[in-house]
Amino acid sequence: MTGGSIWVKMESRQVSRSVGKTNDVVDLYAVQCCICFKWSTVPTKEEYETIRQSFKEDPWVCFKKQGRSCDNPGDLEYDTSRMWIADKPNIPKSPPGFNRILSRRSDFSKFDVYYITPTGKKLRGPADVEKFLQEYPRFKDINPSDFVFSSPKIPKEMILGTPAERGDCETHSNKKLKRS
DNA sequence: GCCACCGGTGGC
DNA sequence: GCCACCGGTGGC
């Protein structure tokens, strides 16, 4: 199975952060079965990153979830009630204690990726990573390539707030999106 | 002074 | 043309 035909997806929603400000938080992780295209939720970010890191070689299938097969209904269906982001496959797991964050631009144009370190510092790119790993010898064994700053794309229908054209969906993910 | 946020651009 | 990366800065 080659990568790219099925994407790991995650969901975010807008929450009020302070007066006049909003921020997206990912509140649900989901993966799509490469056989039946149904969605399974993934309970934790940790587990999600584990699936994601080898998604191309080892795509998701329903029976990986205990007691589940493609004959069962999925956990949820894709819709525009929340924002779905097609994540990139095969991103290394965040090093222990580091937290990979997606920050959406207010114009919905793109996400910025950054990592929060165990010390609370924010790393915005490879230059920050290198500086940080040098500054703290206890992290010197961490491979800088474990930090990946490439950002997921925001699906067009999420920007416009309108249903995706079927052609778009198939172009991007080789599947049909079910809409209720 | 910090940092969240955005714009620009170099490399592909 | 895209996008990963980084510089700049406005608002606090």
Side-chain angles (χ1 to χ4, degrees):
Chain A
M1 169 107 191
T2 57
S5 62
I6 301 296
W7 292 351
V8 183
K9 301 219 177 206
M10 72 175 81
E11 175 194 49
S12 65
R13 61 184 158 81
Q14 276 206 335
V15 294
S16 179
R17 191 174 60 191
S18 60
V19 179
K21 292 254 183 180
T22 58
N23 195 14
D24 287 336
V25 293
V26 175
D27 68 347
L28 192 151
Y29 299 94
V31 290
Q32 191 180 39
C33 175
C34 67
I35 298 169
C36 70
F37 300 155
K38 293 192 193 84
W39 293 92
S40 293
T41 55
V42 181
T44 65
K45 186 174 192 173
E46 226 269 315
E47 201 170 325
Y48 172 77
E49 289 200 344
T50 300
I51 295 167
R52 185 180 59 186
Q53 69 178 346
S54 54
F55 198 78
K56 286 183 187 173
E57 318 84 81
D58 188 19
W60 178 260
V61 282
C62 284
F63 60 74
K64 287 189 173 195
K65 203 162 185 170
Q66 191 152 25
R68 183 73 71 85
S69 80
C70 291
D71 295 333
N72 300 113
D75 290 329
L76 75 173
E77 296 199 354
Y78 184 100
D79 63 33
T80 51
S81 66
R82 302 182 187 181
M83 193 157 96
W84 287 78
I85 304 302
D87 206 4
K88 301 211 167 167
N90 288 45
I91 294 173
K93 285 185 82 161
S94 303
F98 291 78
N99 194 13
R100 190 172 188 269
I101 304 291
L102 297 177
S103 175
R104 181 179 55 77
R105 297 280 176 109
S106 61
D107 62 358
F108 286 79
S109 61
K110 60 180 173 182
F111 279 92
D112 292 302
V113 175
Y114 59 90
Y115 288 82
I116 302 294
T117 72
T119 66
K121 192 173 162 54
K122 186 172 171 178
L123 307 179
R124 296 189 311 148
D128 286 351
V129 169
E130 192 180 349
K131 203 185 300 177
F132 181 82
L133 295 182
Q134 280 175 5
E135 188 177 350
Y136 294 91
R138 62 184 159 122
F139 298 126
K140 69 178 187 315
D141 291 337
I142 293 177
N143 189 341
S145 67
D146 285 347
F147 298 86
V148 173
F149 294 90
S150 65
S151 57
K153 282 194 113 170
I154 300 178
K156 198 182 353 174
E157 70 272 18
M158 292 298 160
I159 300 172
L160 301 176
T162 55
E165 293 300 322
R166 192 178 139 178
D168 287 344
C169 296
E170 292 188 339
T171 298
H172 288 118
S173 56
N174 199 23
K175 65 180 176 54
K176 294 175 189 174
L177 298 179
K178 283 195 164 184
R179 315 192 60 84
S180 50

